């Protein structure tokens, strides 16, 4: 029930997937919104602090997810999938993980370039490694921005692929990630 099987995702994988999705979409919306705030907005300081805190939690969640995936491999692809679909799915999943890690690392580099730790909901602090290279905040900021937009485009493709499998191919791909039992 909690672990993956050859044919189904377990509750841990499903929970980690959907928590990641919620965190990513929240962070993206918050990031797009907060860069437009003016100095006089009540959220000018709070929004970035919230963004950083959720980002640190997402980093922990992502590391847990990668560890879980390593210890508990994903179910096998469904039999009706074409070879190119399996290759595309594998490539998209790898890119999603790589891009997400790139976004999280670049966010850390932006936030800690001045030597200050990142406060996580005012409960703990993630220490800074300080300035590691010249122009760190600006370079990491551009990487963060471009990766975030590219990541959302890839997430959209991922979601459209799931919908294609569900509505056009009428297979159990989406049902496996929603933990809906196949009725036949």
């Amino acid at each position: 029930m909690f672990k993956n099987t050859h044919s189904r995702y377990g509750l841990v994988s499903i929970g980690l997937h959907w928590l990641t999705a919620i965190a990513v979409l929240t962070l993206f919306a918050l990031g797009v919104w907060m860069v437009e705030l003016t100095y006089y907005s009540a959220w000018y300081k709070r929004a970035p602090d919230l963004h950083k805190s959720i980002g640190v939690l997402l980093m922990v969640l992502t590391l847990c997810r990668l560890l879980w995936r390593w210890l508990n491999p994903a179910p096998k692809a469904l039999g009706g999938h074409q070879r190119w679909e399996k290759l595309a799915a594998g490539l998209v999943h790898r890119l999603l993980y790589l891009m997400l890690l790139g976004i999280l690392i670049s966010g850390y580099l932006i936030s800690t370039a001045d030597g200050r730790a990142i406060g996580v909901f005012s409960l703990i602090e993630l220490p800074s490694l300080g300035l590691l290279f010249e122009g760190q905040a600006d370079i990491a900021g551009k990487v963060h921005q471009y990766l975030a937009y590219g990541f959302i485009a890839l997430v959209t493709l991922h979601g459209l692929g799931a919908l294609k499998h569900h509505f056009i191919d009428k297979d159990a791909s989406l049902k496996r990630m929603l933990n809906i039992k196949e009725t036949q």
Side-chain angles (χ1 to χ4, degrees):
M1 183 168 159
F2 292 101
K3 295 176 105 181
N4 297 342
T5 66
H6 291 295
S7 61
R8 300 188 58 75
Y9 286 98
L11 292 178
V12 173
S13 292
I14 292 169
L16 291 170
H17 175 272
W18 292 110
L19 280 172
T20 299
I22 291 166
V24 162
L25 295 175
T26 299
L27 283 167
F28 185 74
L30 183 58
V32 169
W33 175 68
M34 75 181 191
V35 297
E36 298 298 323
L37 295 174
T38 66
Y39 179 78
Y40 298 103
S41 169
W43 282 93
Y44 183 76
K45 171 114 176 65
R46 282 189 278 175
D49 288 345
L50 183 60
H51 187 82
K52 292 174 195 178
S53 292
I54 296 170
V56 169
L57 292 181
L58 180 58
M59 176 62 96
V60 171
L61 181 65
T62 302
L63 294 174
C64 289
R65 190 170 177 194
L66 287 168
L67 178 64
W68 182 256
R69 187 171 172 97
W70 181 65
L71 294 172
N72 193 27
K76 295 187 185 311
L78 296 175
H81 293 173
Q82 300 292 323
R83 185 174 190 279
W84 71 266
E85 289 176 305
K86 292 175 187 176
L87 291 172
L91 177 62
V92 167
H93 282 108
R94 284 179 185 83
L95 279 173
L96 285 170
Y97 280 115
L98 285 173
M99 291 175 81
L100 182 56
L101 288 170
I103 292 166
L104 294 166
I105 292 167
S106 61
Y108 173 81
L109 292 175
I110 297 165
S111 301
T112 60
D114 62 1
R116 288 185 288 171
I118 299 173
V120 182
F121 298 111
S122 299
L123 299 173
I124 61 168
E125 288 193 340
L126 182 64
S128 169
L129 295 175
L131 190 65
L132 302 175
F133 53 90
E134 195 62 39
Q136 178 174 316
D138 292 335
I139 294 167
K142 286 294 179 197
V143 168
H144 193 74
Q145 179 185 7
Y146 292 135
L147 281 178
Y149 280 103
F151 186 78
I152 290 299
L154 205 54
V155 164
T156 302
L157 180 65
H158 177 65
L160 288 172
L163 294 174
K164 176 231 181 242
H165 282 291
H166 186 73
F167 291 110
I168 295 172
D169 299 342
K170 300 195 184 305
D171 67 26
S173 296
L174 183 58
K175 289 180 180 180
R176 292 196 312 180
M177 193 43 74
L178 293 171
N179 201 27
I180 298 172
K181 294 204 185 315
E182 191 69 18
T183 57
Q184 296 179 9

